[in-house]
Amino acid sequence: MAGVTFLTVAEVAALMRVSKMSVYRLIHAGELEAVRFGRSFRVPEAAVNAYLRDAFYETG
């Protein structure tokens, strides 16, 4: 686990330019990996990058 950077839901929402509720929906749907610390979620930065990479597709 050394070297793993965790982001808060608010940080992920700002990075993805969506609401915090959208991030919570992705977490609960299993589309975005997250770890629960107490009452809050933390998302590995690599999981956010992987989700965004997989979300892109070519048009035309």
Side-chain angles (χ1 to χ4, degrees):
M1 290 299 284
V4 176
T5 303
F6 289 98
L7 303 173
T8 64
V9 170
E11 291 170 333
V12 174
L15 185 65
M16 295 174 68
R17 294 181 181 236
V18 297
S19 69
K20 290 191 297 183
M21 186 54 67
S22 294
V23 176
Y24 283 118
R25 285 187 190 116
L26 289 171
I27 291 170
H28 289 295
E31 296 182 39
L32 187 60
E33 178 186 349
V35 178
R36 191 164 192 154
F37 288 109
R39 294 181 58 188
S40 62
F41 287 98
R42 296 293 188 265
V43 182
E45 188 174 21
V48 176
N49 293 334
Y51 179 82
L52 291 175
R53 182 177 54 250
D54 294 342
F56 282 105
Y57 61 92
E58 294 289 329
T59 60

